[in-house]
Amino acid sequence: PWNFPVAIALGGIAAVLAAGNTVIIKPASVAALTAYELCKCFWDAGISKSILQFTPCPGALAGEHLISNKDVDFVILTGGEDTAISMLNSRPNLFLTAETGGKDATIVTNMSDREQAVKNVCQSAFGNSGQKCSATSLLVLEEEVYNDVNFKKALVDAASSMNVGSVWNFKNRIGTLANSVFGNLKKAIEQLEGNEEWALKPSFAENNEYMLKPAIKWGVEEGNFIHKNELFGPVLAVMKAKNLELAVDIVNSTGYGLTSGIESLDEREVSYWKENLKAGNLYVNRGTTGAIVLRQPFGGMGKSAIGAGRKVGIHNYITQFVDFK
């Protein structure tokens, strides 16, 4: 994928080769050069070009000639759930492991350290321009926090202070988007539903369509477009919940389950949340991104994982590429 064009591709290639298989890598179009340089490292180390084959092509061609090909035993996908489902529709007996994104949320309860919550939410939502599949896209506030004008002001101030621009200017915290704004992200920044309003309006740095500044949409209601859909950009949806139980229901109702966070200093709240929140990676009083290999195996459930759902970043990942006897 284009957002982790070395790390994710490297993990898949290395695991499949280590299990004794050949590999065809079909990179996202904007990540083709990165994937090529990665393949050259393996080739230079002695892996044959027939064992690791570099195949840059449009997705439609890959679907026609690779996914449907019976000589392909297994497919690893990082992408959208629509792509994964279309693969299974074209070949129902396909062995597929797909990490398909998320609508990741952080819940902030009345019992939280609110300053810490602001810091963690902003880094999780706007770091890397929100282009991580683990990025916080939904912020669910318990009623008292939602109505706290100081919390709202601190959140807006922190987000607006994150400078956007060239990575060569070291005062900038956020660089460019990988693609200009389109699709769900474009719809989210151009439309307001129901009682939604902008706490921080979307705008572009230097009038550059690749440099979207952090934006915060306040007053999002259950079932709204931005509640249910992944955006992959620096836009945060803020919702209100009467209590923790309803907050958990709001998060689970998205159908996704990749990462999720809670900000609470009450162990009883944290225990309830861990038992009832449906997501693969759970973070308590910290950001929702940056899973560490061998410490926090990464993967989700629901619409965030199609296929076996085997987590990456742990030894057990390799076993799905082996026939046991």
Side-chain angles (χ1 to χ4, degrees):
W2 51 262
N3 60 345
F4 287 93
V6 173
I8 290 178
L10 174 60
I13 291 171
V16 174
L17 289 175
N21 302 286
T22 55
V23 182
I24 300 170
I25 177 167
K26 183 276 176 207
S29 297
V30 292
L33 285 176
T34 311
Y36 179 64
E37 291 296 327
L38 176 61
C39 287
K40 285 203 298 186
C41 294
F42 281 95
W43 296 331
D44 290 346
I47 299 294
S48 149
K49 288 186 178 180
S50 62
I51 289 175
L52 171 58
Q53 300 180 38
F54 174 64
T55 315
C57 66
L61 281 179
E64 181 182 352
H65 297 288
L66 294 177
I67 304 306
S68 60
N69 193 316
K70 298 298 188 290
D71 288 334
V72 173
D73 297 305
F74 204 109
V75 173
I76 305 168
L77 169 71
T78 305
E81 70 268 20
D82 292 343
T83 304
I85 290 167
S86 69
M87 286 179 175
L88 292 174
N89 285 338
S90 67
R91 189 176 160 193
N93 64 342
L94 179 68
F95 281 106
L96 171 69
T97 181
E99 190 262 277
T100 46
K103 188 67 183 176
D104 310 305
T106 295
I107 295 172
V108 181
T109 76
N110 299 339
M111 301 293 287
S112 64
D113 178 332
R114 298 182 192 184
E115 289 185 5
Q116 174 188 269
V118 167
K119 172 180 173 288
N120 290 338
V121 167
C122 283
Q123 184 54 44
S124 300
F126 306 125
N128 296 88
S129 296
Q131 295 174 116
K132 288 185 174 184
C133 49
S134 55
T136 289
S137 180
L138 199 61
L139 177 61
V140 185
L141 305 177
E142 203 170 357
E143 198 162 22
E144 180 185 304
V145 183
Y146 185 89
N147 294 328
D148 181 350
V149 293
N150 291 323
F151 178 86
K152 183 177 181 179
K153 182 179 185 301
L155 182 68
V156 171
D157 286 350
S160 57
S161 72
M162 298 176 78
N163 292 315
V164 180
S166 168
V167 295
W168 301 111
N169 184 337
F170 296 149
K171 77 178 178 65
N172 292 326
R173 294 281 303 282
I174 301 171
T176 62
L177 295 166
N179 303 283
S180 57
V181 175
F182 72 101
N184 285 355
L185 181 57
K186 184 178 177 68
K187 182 175 179 178
I189 67 172
E190 290 181 350
Q191 298 180 12
L192 291 171
E193 269 187 275
N195 295 315
E196 293 175 353
E197 61 182 19
W198 290 110
L200 182 59
K201 286 187 176 180
S203 62
F204 294 92
E206 303 171 23
N207 292 316
N208 185 328
E209 64 178 348
Y210 288 86
M211 292 183 180
L212 182 61
K213 294 181 179 180
I216 300 173
K217 188 178 281 192
W218 201 268
V220 175
E221 296 167 332
E222 289 188 62
N224 283 13
F225 177 82
I226 198 172
H227 169 213
K228 298 285 191 176
N229 289 276
E230 185 177 36
L231 305 181
F232 249 81
V235 180
L236 180 65
V238 183
M239 303 179 69
K240 177 174 67 175
K242 195 164 187 65
N243 52 48
L244 176 59
E245 290 80 3
L246 291 174
V248 169
D249 289 343
I250 286 170
V251 176
N252 286 341
S253 70
T254 66
Y256 291 100
L258 190 56
T259 70
S260 210
I262 189 171
E263 295 285 337
S264 174
L265 303 179
D266 187 324
E267 291 183 6
R268 296 165 300 177
E269 289 186 335
V270 173
S271 294
Y272 176 87
W273 175 81
K274 286 196 292 186
E275 288 296 320
N276 294 279
L277 203 292
K278 297 174 182 173
N281 286 59
L282 303 179
Y283 297 100
V284 179
N285 295 321
R286 53 150 291 178
T288 62
T289 67
I292 299 169
V293 172
L294 295 181
R295 187 185 300 173
Q296 300 156 334
F298 187 77
M301 56 182 70
K303 291 197 294 183
S304 295
I306 294 176
R310 189 71 57 85
K311 287 193 168 198
V312 299
I314 196 66
H315 311 94
N316 205 32
Y317 181 72
I318 197 173
T319 58
Q320 60 193 327
F321 312 121
V322 177
D323 288 327
F324 289 94
K325 293 181 181 179

